[in-house]
Amino acid sequence: MEDTVRIDKWLWAVRLYKTRSQASDACKAGKVKLGGMPVKSSHEVKVGEVYEMTIEQLHKVVEVKALPHNRVGAKLVPDFMNDLTPAEEYERIQMIRQYNFERRDRGTGRPTKRERRDLDEFKAG
């Protein structure tokens, strides 16, 4: 184990981002914050720090428990971070997913152009 690890490498290692370049891009875009201030991808992570980040529409809060030197398996992620994200945030994301999902009966095929327009009009309000 090292004393410090770059934030982009840590985010990738604990599986918050699929690739290290995605983690680096999120840092450059200001989506990863420490104490309300955006951090650069070269920021050195320390144990005990709490980071806030936006991953797609999810506002996630995590605390650093340990510093991995390589990407860890999904079962080992809890050894390296605490997820402090409120349950309401996960419920909000679940509701957004349910609202955007369109269910069609099996065998009815794709919607016609008219049905598609009706769906779009309904979603718009």
Side-chain angles (χ1 to χ4, degrees), residues 32-56:
V32 180
K33 298 179 180 178
L34 172 65
M37 299 296 294
V39 296
K40 294 182 178 182
S41 56
S42 62
H43 174 79
E44 297 291 327
V45 177
K46 295 173 186 71
V47 175
E49 290 180 330
V50 177
Y51 291 95
E52 301 171 22
M53 63 204 69
T54 304
I55 303 173
E56 294 179 5

Side-chain angles (χ1 to χ4, degrees), residues 99-117:
Y99 177 73
N100 287 334
F101 181 72
E102 298 157 7
R103 186 184 176 290
R104 290 185 60 82
D105 292 329
R106 186 177 176 99
T108 58
R110 295 175 54 183
T112 63
K113 192 172 191 178
R114 184 179 198 168
E115 290 171 339
R116 184 77 216 161
R117 287 181 184 153

Side-chain angles (χ1 to χ4, degrees), residues 7-17 23 27 32 53:
I7 184 72
D8 60 344
K9 187 173 182 180
W10 186 83
L11 291 170
W12 166 77
V14 295
R15 299 179 170 269
L16 290 172
Y17 288 94
C27 291
V32 180
M53 63 204 69

Side-chain angles (χ1 to χ4, degrees), residues 58-88:
L58 177 66
H59 302 292
K60 200 163 185 74
V61 181
V62 295
E63 178 186 11
V64 179
K65 286 172 67 174
L67 304 175
H69 62 279
N70 262 340
R71 190 165 170 99
V72 297
K75 291 182 179 180
L76 299 177
V77 168
D79 296 339
F80 295 94
M81 74 168 204
N82 278 336
D83 188 2
L84 304 176
T85 308
E88 296 84 32

Side-chain angles (χ1 to χ4, degrees), residues 8 17 19-32 39 41:
D8 60 344
Y17 288 94
T19 65
R20 187 167 170 187
S21 62
Q22 285 178 344
S24 181
D25 291 343
C27 291
K28 288 177 187 171
K31 294 182 179 182
V32 180
V39 296
S41 56

